[in-house]
Each structure stands twice: as C-alpha cells, then as structure tokens.
Amino acid sequence: MTDAVIVGAGPNGLVAANMLADAGWSVTVLEAADHPGGAVRSAEVTAPGYCNDLFSAFYPLAAASPFMAALDLERWGLRWAHAPLVVTHPIGDGRVVTLSRDVDVTAASLDAFAPGDGEAWRRLVAQFERLRDDLVAALFRPFPPVTPTLRLLRELGAGDALRFARFATMPLRRWAEEEFNGVGAASLFAGNALHTDLGPDSSGAAVFGWLLCMLGQTDGFPVPVGGAQSLTDALVARLQTAGGRLVCGQAVREVVVHGGRAVAVRTVDGTEYAAERAVLAAVDAPQLFNAMVAPEHLPPRLLDDLRKFQWDNATVKVDWALGGPVPWADDRSGQSGTVHLGGDVDALTRYTGQLAVGAVPDRPYIVFGQMTTADPSRSPAGTEAAWGYTHVPQTVRSDAGSDGLTGTWDEREVQVVVDRLEAQVERFAPGFRARIAGRYVNGPLGLQQADRSLFRGALNGGSAAIHQQLIWRPVPGLGRAETPIERLYLASGSAHPGGGVHGGPGGIAARTALRDAGVLGPLRRRLVRAANRAVYR
Ligand SMILES: Cc1cc2nc3c(=O)[nH]c(=O)nc-3n(C[C@H](O)[C@H](O)[C@H](O)COP(=O)(O)OP(=O)(O)OC[C@H]3O[C@@H](n4cnc5c(N)ncnc54)[C@H](O)[C@@H]3O)c2cc1C
C-alpha cells in the first residue's frame, strides 16, 4: 500500500510524483511503456552517434513553469542549451522573419517587413514582462486563479483588462492586423500558434502565438543538453532519491472504486496497487473516463460530455541524421533551433483549412528542429540531428494531394506524408535530401503505440480550442484536477492548463491531492460534491 499511485510516467506524472514524495508521501508510479518519460524521450534511432528526440524537443514552457523550477532539476544533472537564434520562419518569397533572444535582432527583422513593427514588438515585450509573473501564476493554478487574476486586474486597470480579455478570444490574423503591418509579424505569430491545433483564423489562436513568441523572446526555446531524455532522467533520479518507486511495463487497466472513492488501480496482468490517499491519472482524459473507470461510477452527463471531447490533430513525425548542416537558402534558418516551414500566414490558413475539412495537406506546415545547432552534443561535429513533425486530420475524408490517402496510416500512407514533408524542407533548403544519412519515422499509429496517451499522435491531450480550455478542459465541470470520484485526480495534458512539457496539470493535481488530505479536506470535498451536483444534474 502506498499513499499515492500515479498512472503514467510522462512529465506530468513525474512532476506530480516528485511533489508528493517531497511532501513525505509514499508514491508508486506505474508506466505502461518500458521506459519512463512519455513524450519526453530521446534515443539513437537514426544513425550511430546521433541522439534524436522521439517526441518533444524544445522546452520554453518547462523553463517558465514554476513547478519545474521548484524541483531544481539542475541538481539532478539537467543543463539547458540554446541555439544562436530561437525561431526563423521563411515566408516563401525569399524573405525570413527571425526571433532572437536579443530583442534588437527580432525588432530589426520585423522592421524589414514593415517599419514600425519592431517598435510594436518592443511594446508587447515590455507589457509581457510587466504581466509575466502574474500570468504564469494564473496559468499554473487550479481554476479560478483568484489571487493572480486580482493582481493582473490591478496591474492592467479595468479598461486594459477588458482589452486583454478581448485579445484572449481573438483569431491571430485579425489581432496581427490590428497590431502590425507586415506579413513577417503575422507569419511569425501564426507559426508559433500552430504548435497547437489552432490556425491563424481560429478564435483564441492569438494568445497562443503571442505566449510562445514572448517566451521565445524572454527565455528562448531551450533544449536539455544530451537530449530530451536528460529532462526525464533528472525527474526520475530526483523521484527515486526522494523514495518514490517507478514501475515500467505496467499498463493500468482499471481504477478500483469503492463507495465513490478511488482506492487502487489494477494493471492488465491483474496486479492491484492499493492507494491510501490518492490516485493521480497522468493519462489522457478519454482513456481515464471511458476505459479505466467503470461507467456506473460516473455521472451520465460527464460521459455525454466526453462524447464531445475534441482531440487535436494527428501527427507524422520524422527524425533525421544529416551528414552535414541543412543547406538553407538563407543563413538565419541555419542558426535557429526551430524553423517553421510552410510559408506565410496565408499559406498556413490554407494548410489549416485543409486539416479542418479532413483533407491530408498537400503542402505541409512543419515544425523543424535543428538539435545539434541547439546542443552540439547531439551528433558528430559538422553534422545535424534534425527533428520535424506535421499534422494530418484525426479523421481523413480526402487527400489534398494526388496520392489517394485515406487515413489507414499504413507504411505507404505514412511514407507519402514523409515525402511531402521532405519536399517542403527541400523548397527552403535545396539539397536537403542529399544530406540524409538516416531516418526514423513514426506515423499516427506508431506514435500512439509508443505512448498510448498520444491518440494518433495528438500532441496536446486534446484540442487547445477556446471551447475546451479553462473551465471546459477537458469537458465542462472538470476545469480542476478533482473528478466526480473522490481521491481520483486528472493530472495529464488533457487537464488545465493543457499540453506541453511544463508539469502544470501534474503539479496542480498533486497540490490538490495534498490539500484534500489536509485539515480542510472534508470541507473541500463537500464543495466539490456540490459543484458536481450542479454540473451533472
Ligand atoms: C511529436 C511531439 C512533439 C512535441 N513537441 C513538444 C515540444 O517541443 N515542446 C513541448 O513543450 N511539448 C511538445 N509536445 C507535447 C508534450 O510532449 C506533451 O504535451 C506532454 O508530454 C504531455 O505530458 P503528459 O505527462 O501529460 O503525457 P505524456 O507525455 O503523453 O505521458 C503519458 C504517459 O502515460 C503512459 N500511459 C498511458 N496510458 C497508460 C496506462 N493505461 N497505464 C500506464 N501508463 C500509461 C504513457 O506510456 C506515457 O508514458 C510534443 C508532443 C509530441 C508527440
């Protein structure tokens, strides 16, 4: 018997486990895969001497996360590295827009598209720096984050708070038109917003593009020295030092519920792990509520809401071993850790429009990572360990190209998307294909097989659309870590504040479990029961 059982050893499960172990709880983490880390892993899969990140690679959100900072992972060997430039976005006509940690460089890049856009950028950065601590505090609290919101209101004043709330609902294209004049700024923000499933014209996309750009400006897009695995290794080493137990190769099949309380979990081989105080499910919400918990323990309205749960797009991911640097048509792309490929903001609308109608895009948008440029330890000197992904629809209705893709995602279909992806890189870096010395590919089914929380490779534990955020994430009534079952908490990227490697949902769930076990626990549970009655009537 341990105090807490945590299901899933991704970043959220591991952050939660560390926090509970720090509080003196005995903790067991059960992980289905043979390795911990979830979507934070690396391995030598392309060619000898190349370390490739199998899923995530850049960690501005981890750098900004108060939960990660509190764990002091540097003491467990984590070191960060940065590329000379953060992001470059070739817009398709020979020009590129660049984000650098040096604000003068970013501003000059934007001014080259439209004089004055550099000054507009500086104003945004100054505002972000003023609001940053309260914004981050608000994001990393259970909903509603009362204290940081009051502080934000005081900082902004009522009028600007209203304007900020309007901004938070806006499509990116419209917001960029209001704030900037050049296509450089709009394309840079749109490329960043597309780290979610939100295109330039989706409500709420502006705030995501803005947040990643502002973090890129102030913190960069850091990568762990030695690969994404170093972040996981530090979390695991810290947990084990604190007495936590990690068991890999143990897929959980069922959360055992007695008298409305989670009391244990049962794995696929029938082993039962009892939990004295809490079960934290750091796995996707549909798996937890549709498969692990028997329906008789859940309100029918919750199950009905879950039928409306929206996954983010499916993904095709490629790792490359390159025999030399990427032969970019422009120099700045070669100095950037991340390069956004796909063209200007209009081209990105075309791509997201294809995804929206269920068509496999013919000219993909790619998040392209140059890992050796960011961290020279990733591959032999003079070479590049490169990383890239693009999205395909969750449900394929047609192929925008001429290959008749149907969404079976067999070897041929995945290869067609890889060919399109490499053709897109080649467009901005003629001669790219000739540098490929090794390739490792995962389509939607391969990504899900490697990490069963990545439904067809969906990166973010569910859509980041505004109707599935905050008090609606993952469904109405679950905007906090508590679930209708006492002592069962949702702790994955499906929960607020969502996908990305920052440990936010895990940290919030751990903090909630600790509070529920404290003296005010009975009162808190009564309040949650009352809220549940209101939502699930
Ligand atoms: C290709 C790709 C690129 C990405 N790039 C970035 C990036 O650059 N930066 C960034 O911040 N984010 C990125 N992300 C998103 C980020 O990796 C995820 O949002 C994050 O890993 C979510 O953390 P998590 O702990 O909630 O879930 P996961 O990391 O998915 O971990 C869930 C864990 O639970 C385990 N599990 C699932 N079901 C069970 C079960 N039944 N029993 C036991 N264990 C189970 C899984 O095996 C897995 O280990 C990327 C994701 C992908 C796939």
Side-chain angles (χ1 to χ4, degrees):
M1 170 89 80
T2 54
D3 288 322
V5 170
I6 290 160
V7 186
N12 281 309
L14 292 173
V15 165
N18 271 283
M19 287 173 63
L20 294 176
D22 285 355
W25 285 26
S26 54
V27 171
T28 299
V29 184
L30 300 175
E31 167 55 50
D34 291 337
H35 307 269
V40 184
R41 289 189 51 215
S42 37
E44 194 181 82
V45 285
T46 51
Y50 288 74
C51 168
N52 289 95
D53 290 341
L54 302 178
F55 312 94
S56 59
F58 294 95
Y59 299 111
L61 301 170
S65 161
F67 291 123
M68 290 280 187
L71 297 181
D72 198 10
L73 294 173
E74 284 75 6
R75 280 187 55 210
W76 275 266
L78 179 65
R79 283 186 298 133
W80 294 110
H82 291 268
L85 294 172
V86 182
V87 176
T88 290
H89 187 134
I91 67 158
D93 61 3
R95 293 180 295 167
V96 302
V97 56
T98 285
L99 172 54
S100 160
R101 282 187 289 156
D102 180 342
V103 71
D104 292 338
V105 174
T106 313
S109 172
L110 294 166
D111 274 335
F113 285 86
D117 277 4
E119 197 43 47
W121 177 272
R122 286 178 200 279
R123 279 198 299 276
L124 282 184
V125 174
Q127 185 207 38
F128 177 73
E129 284 176 335
R130 208 156 46 84
L131 303 181
R132 179 197 164 110
D133 288 351
D134 294 328
L135 264 178
V136 169
L139 276 176
F140 287 87
R141 295 253 171 115
F143 211 81
V146 179
T147 316
T149 306
L150 287 175
R151 277 201 233 109
L152 275 172
L153 272 170
R154 200 176 50 211
E155 183 64 42
L156 285 164
D160 279 348
L162 270 180
R163 288 180 193 98
F164 192 82
R166 171 180 179 269
F167 155 65
T169 67
M170 285 186 82
L172 187 141
R173 179 190 296 278
R174 174 64 203 161
W175 172 71
E177 280 167 2
E178 290 178 4
E179 301 292 330
F180 295 89
N181 290 311
V183 67
S187 303
L188 180 62
F189 284 112
N192 279 280
L194 269 164
H195 287 231
T196 67
D197 57 328
L198 304 183
D201 302 282
S202 313
S203 298
V207 78
F208 280 100
W210 167 83
L211 183 63
L212 262 196
C213 280
M214 293 299 110
L215 287 176
Q217 181 63 76
T218 53
D219 298 47
F221 282 10
V223 305
V225 172
Q229 190 69 45
S230 307
L231 175 53
T232 292
D233 289 348
L235 283 163
V236 170
R238 191 187 184 288
L239 174 65
Q240 288 173 338
T241 307
R245 179 171 165 230
L246 168 68
V247 190
C248 289
Q250 279 287 38
V252 170
R253 193 187 63 206
E254 186 187 346
V255 176
V256 181
V257 180
H258 279 314
R261 277 186 181 172
V263 295
V265 302
R266 199 167 289 129
T267 60
V268 288
D269 67 9
T271 312
E272 198 166 296
Y273 291 83
E276 178 93 344
R277 295 165 125 175
V279 173
L280 275 67
V283 300
D284 58 285
Q287 187 188 180
L288 174 65
F289 294 114
N290 290 331
M292 288 186 183
V293 177
E296 61 265 27
H297 300 305
L298 294 168
R301 291 293 299 271
L302 169 64
L303 295 172
D304 191 41
D305 286 336
L306 272 164
R307 276 191 280 279
K308 298 169 195 156
F309 177 83
Q310 184 182 348
W311 279 105
D312 43 320
N313 296 309
T315 305
V316 173
K317 160 90 179 8
V318 190
D319 288 296
W320 295 274
L322 302 178
V326 181
W328 297 108
D330 71 280
D331 287 346
R332 276 176 290 173
S333 295
Q335 296 173 48
S336 300
T338 304
V339 187
H340 290 152
L341 298 172
D344 67 6
V345 61
D346 290 350
L348 300 186
T349 287
R350 181 179 180 277
Y351 161 81
T352 49
Q354 290 177 339
L355 286 172
V357 299
V360 181
D362 52 351
R363 278 182 263 151
Y365 159 81
I366 304 158
V367 183
F368 187 88
Q370 301 188 98
M371 308 320 300
T372 311
T373 299
D375 165 19
S377 78
R378 302 294 181 94
S379 67
T383 69
E384 187 71 66
W387 165 104
Y389 68 79
T390 191
H391 291 301
V392 292
Q394 279 288 351
T395 305
V396 174
R397 293 200 199 98
S398 64
D399 182 7
S402 53
D403 299 288
L405 298 180
T406 59
T408 59
W409 301 124
D410 57 17
E411 210 177 314
R412 181 195 81 87
E413 293 214 341
V414 173
Q415 187 54 48
V416 167
V417 176
V418 173
D419 288 343
R420 289 180 193 177
L421 206 146
E422 290 183 352
Q424 187 72 295
V425 184
E426 188 81 27
R427 181 178 154 215
F428 297 98
F432 168 75
R433 280 194 173 115
R435 302 257 160 112
I436 298 174
R439 187 190 283 110
Y440 179 75
V441 173
N442 257 316
L445 305 181
L447 288 166
Q448 185 176 336
Q449 201 176 0
D451 174 346
R452 58 182 78 191
S453 278
L454 302 175
F455 182 70
R456 297 197 190 119
L459 310 188
N460 283 321
S463 175
I466 200 161
H467 58 264
Q468 204 167 270
Q469 291 291 359
L470 307 170
I471 48 170
W472 302 294
R473 188 167 190 87
V475 292
L478 282 182
R480 299 170 58 88
E482 294 97 336
T483 69
I485 294 167
E486 222 174 274
R487 299 186 184 178
L488 175 66
Y489 304 90
L490 179 62
S492 72
S494 289
H496 173 73
V501 176
H502 44 68
I508 289 174
R511 200 175 271 170
T512 308
L514 289 170
R515 287 197 180 138
D516 281 355
V519 278
L520 293 179
L523 174 64
R524 290 170 56 83
R525 279 197 292 279
R526 228 175 297 143
L527 288 172
V528 169
R529 272 200 296 273
N532 280 341
R533 270 197 301 276
V535 176
Y536 301 123
R537 249 190 323 197

